[in-house]
Amino acid sequence: MFRLDGHGLSGAAGHDAGSVLMDVVSLICAGEQTSTQWRFRLDELAWRDMVDMLRQDDLPFVGLWCDGADVHALFLPDGQPLAATLGLEGGRYPALSPARAVSSLYERAIYDLYGAEAMWAVDVRSLLDHDVWSASAPLSAAPGAAGQHKGLITFQPSDAMQAAQGRVESIGPATGSRVPPFYTRLVLSNGLVACAETQTGYAHRGIAARARNARVEDVCRLTSRVAAGSSVAHQVAFCQAVENACGENVGTEVSLLRVALLEMERLFHHLYRLADLARLAGAHLVASHCMALREKLVVEAAPVTGSRLLMDVCVPGGVSVREATQMGDLCARLYELGQQAYPQLVLLWREYPGLAALLGGIGRVQADELERVGLDGPAARAAGWDCDGRRIIPAYEGLWRYTSGRTGGTAEDRALLLLDEVEESLRMLDLASARIGLTAGGTVPLSMQDGEGVGLVEGPWGGVLYWVRLAHGRVAEAFCRRPEISALLMFEQTLNNHAAEDAALLACSLGMNAAALDG
């Protein structure tokens, strides 16, 4: 999704994208100026022209959302937000999915929540609503009747799935196996997957509805519960969006504390993910070592941060940890504990019999495939795509350094990259410990004026972005871009030509998270 060069976020190299990208940007900027400097209103013809032009360029696409009256598409040319807005006509709008594959999932969610139909969409199946909700299109001005489905949810195959020939297998919440709450149907040919599709929505919690017209502090608490393992990333991105909407900046100490929390979260997340990968690969000894180190670090951090899962540690304008004055000492202690166990963990991972061979044969993806569906983060860095958003975050200056260098794109490459990033996060915490003073913490008072803002951070599994619109001191609307959306498309595509039993391992290595996906 986000390609980085020395100047920030830009279009992909290797294409003559400059003139085409500028044409798209110019087209959007030629629209009607809104109250937000970087958002422009287009008419339907201009929107359709934008979709056609996006087929040929690399303008970084963030996401698509609806507020009931309009649809909005957000892009990031040169690392700066640029949004196009189109009013719904009869509850319809021209689809963006013919030009940006990942927008198909946003279009399906918009229809389920608002009843707004994407014309010429590549996929019109329900994503979240399986006819069991208390009302259809619940966020629209006039919600529809409740669903009438009383039995088991019926799988909705695409045309490609219906046309596929072979033996059908299913993996999901009702199959009795220990899998995340999403359903996967496989068509097998000669023992390998010929076609794979998922059905989600089982973990839907109504986050969009709960965030509308809610108090800012309540939405901040809500964001910390969107995705387990990425709580800090969601909190920081949301807080930055609110601060930008208010035209306020937090101080250096607060920014540094947020960086420390982000890197703690990356440590905890990566060790948990590595343990899960090792367990699924049958390397239970390796899994236990990963979890033992994670637990040791979590136990050390929880009394200072106030939360084992690092929930509710950020607020708009500042941080909210239990013992902010001890954060510097905590960073140093985590570094010491990590350095004691890390060399043995790496040696065990690399030398455990058969682990490298098993992971090396699963889930090979190329950087251009990941870029096409917008999956950044460790999965992309392990395939040779330089897309670490920490490079452009000022608070990381002097702490972060590029550590990837892997290009294979297999599950083994992704696991080794996570191990590399564990060591790098420990190093950054050590450097940060000397910079965090005893007066760290506190908050900057925010005006909570009406406006819009965007916040972007590099989470444990990729870029997390929030757009918020403030009105009358509350969050009128909020949108979240999270890497799990793109991970779903990559999972379905990559599972082809694998054995059915590889599905869980592949999903884990690509960062699938049903709760984060469903919202």
Side-chain angles (χ1 to χ4, degrees):
M1 175 182 179
F2 306 133
R3 177 177 290 278
L4 291 144
D5 58 20
H7 305 287
L9 294 160
S10 69
H15 293 266
D16 184 16
S19 60
V20 178
L21 185 148
M22 288 306 298
D23 286 343
V24 178
V25 172
S26 298
L27 172 68
I28 296 174
C29 293
E32 178 186 349
Q33 178 70 62
T34 68
S35 58
T36 302
Q37 183 179 3
W38 41 265
R39 186 167 63 83
F40 299 86
R41 181 173 293 276
L42 306 183
D43 59 27
E44 183 178 335
L45 289 178
W47 180 279
R48 291 172 64 174
D49 287 342
M50 178 188 74
V51 174
D52 288 339
M53 295 166 66
L54 285 170
R55 299 171 188 264
Q56 307 298 326
D57 76 67
D58 299 301
L59 181 64
F61 170 69
V62 176
L64 181 76
W65 70 95
C66 181
D67 59 18
D70 301 314
V71 287
H72 312 274
L74 181 62
F75 305 91
L76 278 179
D78 299 321
Q80 301 302 314
L82 177 66
T85 294
L86 175 68
L88 296 174
E89 285 287 341
R92 308 171 77 189
Y93 64 98
L96 199 62
S97 52
R100 289 291 186 272
V102 71
S103 67
S104 172
L105 296 175
Y106 295 113
E107 291 166 358
R108 292 165 64 189
I110 287 171
Y111 183 78
D112 287 348
L113 296 175
Y114 292 92
E117 180 184 357
M119 298 182 290
W120 308 293
V122 300
D123 193 343
V124 296
R125 294 175 296 157
S126 292
L127 185 73
L128 304 173
D129 182 5
H130 301 302
D131 202 27
V132 296
W133 288 357
S134 59
S136 60
L139 299 188
S140 66
Q148 301 300 314
H149 204 93
K150 303 302 181 183
L152 292 176
I153 294 173
T154 303
F155 178 73
Q156 300 173 294
S158 69
D159 293 341
M161 171 66 75
Q162 290 179 318
Q165 300 293 319
R167 180 167 57 88
V168 176
E169 285 194 9
S170 299
I171 306 170
T175 59
S177 54
R178 292 180 57 189
V179 296
F182 58 84
Y183 176 89
T184 304
R185 177 170 289 188
L186 311 172
V187 177
L188 303 178
S189 177
N190 298 321
L192 298 178
V193 176
C195 186
E197 287 185 353
T198 58
Q199 184 158 286
T200 64
Y202 301 94
H204 182 65
R205 293 155 291 164
I207 289 176
R210 295 165 67 183
R212 295 178 81 189
N213 300 314
R215 297 189 308 166
V216 173
E217 55 268 31
D218 291 339
V219 180
C220 187
R221 284 179 55 83
L222 189 61
T223 63
S224 74
R225 289 154 176 80
V226 170
S230 299
S231 180
V232 178
H234 281 262
Q235 292 171 75
V236 173
F238 173 78
C239 290
Q240 287 181 352
V242 171
E243 290 152 9
N244 288 332
C246 296
E248 301 282 355
N249 293 312
V250 297
T252 303
E253 285 280 8
V254 169
S255 297
L256 188 57
L257 283 177
R258 288 178 175 178
V259 164
L261 290 167
L262 284 165
E263 292 310 311
M264 288 180 200
E265 177 169 77
R266 197 178 313 277
L267 273 174
F268 302 163
H269 171 277
H270 283 6
L271 289 170
Y272 188 94
R273 181 74 62 173
L274 286 165
D276 211 15
L277 282 169
R279 177 184 61 81
L280 290 169
H284 296 286
L285 178 62
V286 181
S288 66
H289 275 256
C290 292
M291 287 303 291
L293 175 55
R294 181 185 183 275
E295 182 63 18
K296 187 180 296 184
L297 298 176
V298 167
V299 167
E300 192 74 24
V304 177
T305 63
S307 171
R308 284 178 56 90
L309 298 178
L310 299 178
M311 292 181 178
D312 307 323
V313 295
C314 293
V315 293
V319 296
S320 182
V321 297
R322 179 178 294 168
E323 301 290 347
T325 58
Q326 298 181 27
M327 282 291 289
D329 291 339
L330 173 61
C331 291
R333 181 62 178 155
L334 293 180
Y335 170 74
E336 293 172 1
L337 291 173
Q339 285 296 101
Q340 292 170 10
Y342 180 77
Q344 181 182 3
L345 177 61
V346 173
L347 184 64
L348 179 62
W349 187 282
R350 292 180 181 275
E351 296 188 353
Y352 192 86
L355 181 58
L358 174 61
L359 295 179
I362 292 176
R364 183 180 297 276
V365 294
Q366 302 298 321
D368 58 347
E369 297 173 316
L370 292 160
E371 190 170 7
R372 183 182 62 81
V373 301
L375 180 56
D376 54 357
R381 292 194 286 276
W385 180 9
D386 178 3
C387 57
D388 195 323
R390 290 174 288 182
R391 174 184 282 124
I392 63 170
I393 298 176
Y396 273 97
E397 187 174 350
L399 298 177
W400 176 87
R401 65 185 180 190
Y402 186 62
T403 57
S404 178
R406 302 191 181 279
T407 59
T410 66
E412 170 69 357
D413 289 292
R414 293 189 282 276
L416 292 176
L417 181 70
L418 295 186
L419 281 169
D420 292 343
E421 293 194 351
V422 165
E423 183 179 31
E424 178 66 1
S425 290
L426 289 170
R427 185 192 66 82
M428 283 193 280
L429 287 176
D430 183 44
L431 291 176
S433 67
R435 302 186 184 186
I436 298 175
L438 296 178
T439 59
T443 60
V444 174
L446 301 179
S447 61
M448 292 302 170
Q449 64 189 31
D450 293 358
E452 298 178 29
V454 167
L456 171 66
V457 301
E458 179 71 20
W461 208 256
V464 175
L465 181 144
Y466 273 82
W467 164 87
V468 298
R469 177 189 293 145
L470 301 180
H472 310 298
R474 289 178 171 254
V475 176
E477 299 282 347
F479 165 78
C480 173
R481 181 272 174 188
R482 47 207 184 273
E484 290 83 2
I485 302 292
S486 298
L488 175 63
L489 293 184
M490 201 71 250
F491 169 71
E492 291 181 340
Q493 175 182 315
T494 310
L495 192 52
N496 288 343
N497 297 317
H498 283 74
E501 53 267 27
D502 292 337
L505 189 53
L506 177 61
C508 181
S509 79
L510 289 173
M512 290 283 288
N513 183 318
L517 175 66
D518 289 344

